[in-house]
Amino acid sequence: MAINSTMPISGIASSNPVELEYATDRLVAEHEELRNRLRVIEAGAKEVILVDDPVRGIALVQDLRKQTSLFVKMLERHSEWEEHDLFPFLSGYFHRESVPSILPSFWVLEKDHELGMSFIQSFQEMSKEVRPAAAQKQLAEAAGHLVQACLILNDHLTMEEQLVFPLAEKVLTDLESFFS
């Protein structure tokens, strides 16, 4: 049984602790890979900001464009899984309890994600027409957008974990109590 937004959640017995543990393990693994890529991208962007050689700066920016495109694809796959499977499961589970809604927390995560992506898009647009005559200031400004995106998205991943892990732990605790 997979955690799926189309699956009806009909009581605690329908929750599979193995699937939930798999989902949290997947979240950790994907976040680790995304963070590793963010570190590489951020280091490259900072190098662009500091480089004095315009030819080297352009080469770095072109490489960063490829790296960010790959990162965006990975992040989109990860986000799609969260939005279609993980978050609906958690929202559905906690919607049945008489506690404050977790939907505002998911909304904040979504807005944070959008902000980080807008900085990546700014970098991609600003660096699209990079030529040898481009001033170092233009390269540094484009790279600055990328550094900002890395900071925002790193924080986004941390906030996501701070929201999801306690919720998943609560579900697992409830299941353990229910079946013991």
Side-chain angles (χ1 to χ4, degrees):
M1 174 169 87
I3 297 171
N4 187 317
S5 61
T6 60
M7 173 181 35
I9 300 174
S10 58
I12 196 166
S14 68
S15 301
N16 185 336
V18 173
E19 287 293 330
L20 187 55
E21 288 174 5
Y22 166 77
T24 56
D25 289 347
R26 178 177 173 178
L27 186 79
V28 169
E30 289 183 10
H31 279 195
E32 184 176 329
E33 185 170 353
L34 290 166
R35 278 192 177 100
N36 287 338
R37 292 198 182 267
L38 282 173
R39 276 191 284 279
V40 170
I41 291 169
E42 184 178 0
K46 287 178 178 177
E47 187 176 348
V48 168
I49 291 169
L50 298 174
V51 73
D52 288 332
D53 177 10
V55 174
R56 173 83 175 123
I58 290 170
L60 288 168
V61 165
Q62 290 170 340
D63 184 54
L64 283 170
R65 286 179 54 78
K66 292 175 190 169
Q67 288 183 48
T68 56
S69 292
L70 179 61
F71 173 81
V72 166
K73 287 177 186 170
M74 290 176 61
L75 184 60
E76 285 173 352
R77 278 193 307 270
H78 173 74
S79 295
E80 186 175 308
W81 167 71
E82 289 175 331
E83 290 173 20
H84 291 100
D85 296 334
L86 182 61
F87 294 164
F89 169 79
L90 292 172
S91 291
Y93 183 85
F94 286 97
H95 179 69
R96 295 175 289 140
E97 294 191 4
S98 60
V99 295
S101 173
I102 60 172
L103 292 179
S105 298
F106 288 133
W107 182 84
V108 169
L109 284 174
E110 180 61 29
K111 292 302 169 192
D112 205 42
H113 174 93
E114 289 172 6
L115 181 61
M117 293 305 296
S118 72
F119 276 103
I120 286 178
Q121 187 161 4
S122 290
F123 164 77
Q124 291 285 17
E125 289 173 12
M126 292 174 75
S127 63
K128 196 181 293 183
E129 300 296 323
V130 176
R131 302 211 184 332
Q136 173 56 27
K137 183 178 179 182
Q138 289 174 310
L139 295 174
E141 185 179 348
H145 284 262
L146 197 50
V147 169
Q148 189 65 35
C150 291
L151 296 172
I152 290 168
L153 290 170
N154 253 317
D155 286 347
H156 169 78
L157 295 173
T158 299
M159 285 190 299
E160 212 171 71
E161 291 166 358
Q162 290 171 343
L163 174 65
V164 169
F165 293 149
L167 295 176
E169 188 62 35
K170 170 84 168 102
V171 172
L172 292 172
T173 300
D174 288 354
L175 287 171
E176 191 174 287
S177 297
F178 182 80
F179 290 111
S180 59

